[in-house]
Amino acid sequence: MKKSALFDALRAGILDLSLAPGSALDEVALCETYGVSRTPLREVLQRLSGEGYVTLEAHRGAAVSSMDLPVIRSLIQTAPMIYAAVARLAAENASPDGIETLKDAQRDFRDASTPADMAIHNHRFHEAIGTMADCPYLIPGLKRLLIDHTRMSQRFYDARTATERATIRKARDQHDAMIAAFEDRAPAEAVRLTLDHWALSRDGIGRFVMPSPLPLDPTQEIRDAV
Amino acid sequence: MKKSALFDALRAGILDLSLAPGSALDEVALCETYGVSRTPLREVLQRLSGEGYVTLEAHRGAAVSSMDLPVIRSLIQTAPMIYAAVARLAAENASPDGIETLKDAQRDFRDASTPADMAIHNHRFHEAIGTMADCPYLIPGLKRLLIDHTRMSQRFYDARTATERATIRKARDQHDAMIAAFEDRAPAEAVRLTLDHWALSRDGIGRFVMPSPLPLDPTQEIRDAV
DNA sequence: AGTACCGATTTTGTATACAAGATGTATTTT
DNA sequence: AAAATACATCTTGTATACAAAATCGGTACT
């Protein structure tokens, strides 16, 4: 189906930042590139807006949801609570099906080669936890959280140093431990691991928001390398 | 604007149960009654679906979101956490504007004569708290919570006995106390009041889900009345 | 020079006609 | 008589043409 392909393409583009936060989405341009008429395109944009990927303003068209400082503050404030609540419910409701989906996502995450791939499969992993938690009042917030979390993680997964690569390995191992906790239906353990996982991620977000400053002495880096 | 009128009408109908949970929404019928063509109508349905009022299935049209037992269980499980989190943030972020909106809603709630009016203004009141909390990751869940909470409260506000009327008065007074807590920027107090308020409401939901059984002896009620 | 207003152009919103899919019924076949 | 299939009808999905709103550029005026 053309429409769902279009939906997925826009969604992926937003998550991997190839569609920049705040950038406008031109209806006719998208119609031409995806070979759909405006009616179904607009329905896709409405749906993306309903899920928080896009913001729609009357007579002003669609734009990729922005990611300004107040939003990031809200994220850091709210994320642990929502993630923890979802993890607890997921552990209580764990089903073989849900665990299977989780393991699939984790395998793809492990095998991913590019930062964008890692981010998207990490996204899938955490969405699957939400599905398993099966709570209609937490999932919408969780999904919005994941949109912004994934977008901010793009930098996180673009590992340059050995330390950064070690951090990613640690996150990956935490996923495995979380799967085990869900399989054991151990809510307390699932929550504990989830909060650890969040703490790791939060540091990465810190680096995203506040990159390390340029060296005061521009020659220092060169001297260090020698 | 016709479209927003249509949106509000459907929303109100869903909240006061005049559109029953699960009932199908016929596109052409709605078009004729509201004098709009199918294109904008469908956009309205998409938006209602995004906010959780309606569920859309491909090639099968729109239906009012259902309210079955698992959903009610989720609600009772999740509501205190979300309401409390929102109340805390609302108290921290309280603004004169927000307080004003809150007082307006409370006035209309107090002056309401029909159960449907009471329910809708109570809905507005709690939505305003969400707006004041200003957290994009909690509001979507809160709104979904309120949809189902309001629908279940229709019975709650249809007071027949003196006890029920006293309960409504108590809920109304709790609103006033909550406003005061927000004005004072007292998060702990706001949370405490919110949880009390929820406890009151939860009992009403209990009566909605489990109505009191018919008297075993059908003549008893008549004898009591004599 | 700066600002306000008007018109041209671009972009969004709506209606309608047509296509495709689903459902229900009647007829046929076993 | 029961089941299956083909057809008719109804409903949803898509394209296109048209209407309305907003933006932008230019001109006139302060």
Side-chain angles (χ1 to χ4, degrees), chain B residues 96-188:
Chain B
D97 257 34
I99 298 282
E100 212 43 55
T101 318
L102 228 49
K103 285 182 176 172
D104 285 354
Q106 168 70 345
R107 187 177 329 109
D108 293 346
F109 176 60
R110 190 182 286 277
D111 296 347
S113 45
T114 69
D117 272 3
M118 300 182 74
I120 198 75
H121 291 303
N122 178 70
H123 190 98
R124 271 181 58 212
F125 180 84
H126 288 281
E127 246 179 11
I129 298 177
T131 306
M132 208 159 66
D134 189 37
C135 173
Y137 311 110
L138 286 173
I139 289 177
L142 173 72
K143 286 200 169 172
R144 276 163 176 77
L145 210 48
L146 285 173
I147 293 171
D148 294 336
H149 197 164
T150 297
R151 295 199 286 182
M152 288 195 287
S153 303
Q154 294 296 335
R155 167 72 191 81
F156 178 79
Y157 291 118
D158 187 12
R160 308 247 165 102
T161 69
T163 331
E164 285 177 344
R165 275 189 291 274
T167 308
I168 292 175
R169 274 198 305 277
K170 189 170 173 193
R172 193 195 60 197
D173 293 343
Q174 287 176 330
H175 282 190
D176 286 323
M178 286 161 74
I179 292 175
F182 293 135
E183 251 177 330
D184 294 350
R185 307 218 172 177

Side-chain angles (χ1 to χ4, degrees), chain B residues 14 20-25 45 52-57 60-66:
Chain B
I14 291 169
S23 62
L25 298 169
L45 292 177
Y53 289 91
V54 152
T55 50
L56 247 45
E57 243 175 316
R60 201 148 306 180
V64 178
S65 290
S66 65

Side-chain angles (χ1 to χ4, degrees), chain A residues 159-172:
Chain A
R160 307 248 165 101
T161 69
T163 330
E164 285 177 343
R165 275 190 291 274
T167 308
I168 292 175
R169 273 198 305 278
K170 190 171 173 191
R172 193 195 60 197

Side-chain angles (χ1 to χ4, degrees), chain A residues 205-220:
Chain A
I205 291 171
R207 285 203 300 282
F208 175 85
V209 180
M210 309 181 294
S212 26
L214 292 173
L216 293 177
D217 175 0
T219 65
Q220 182 178 347

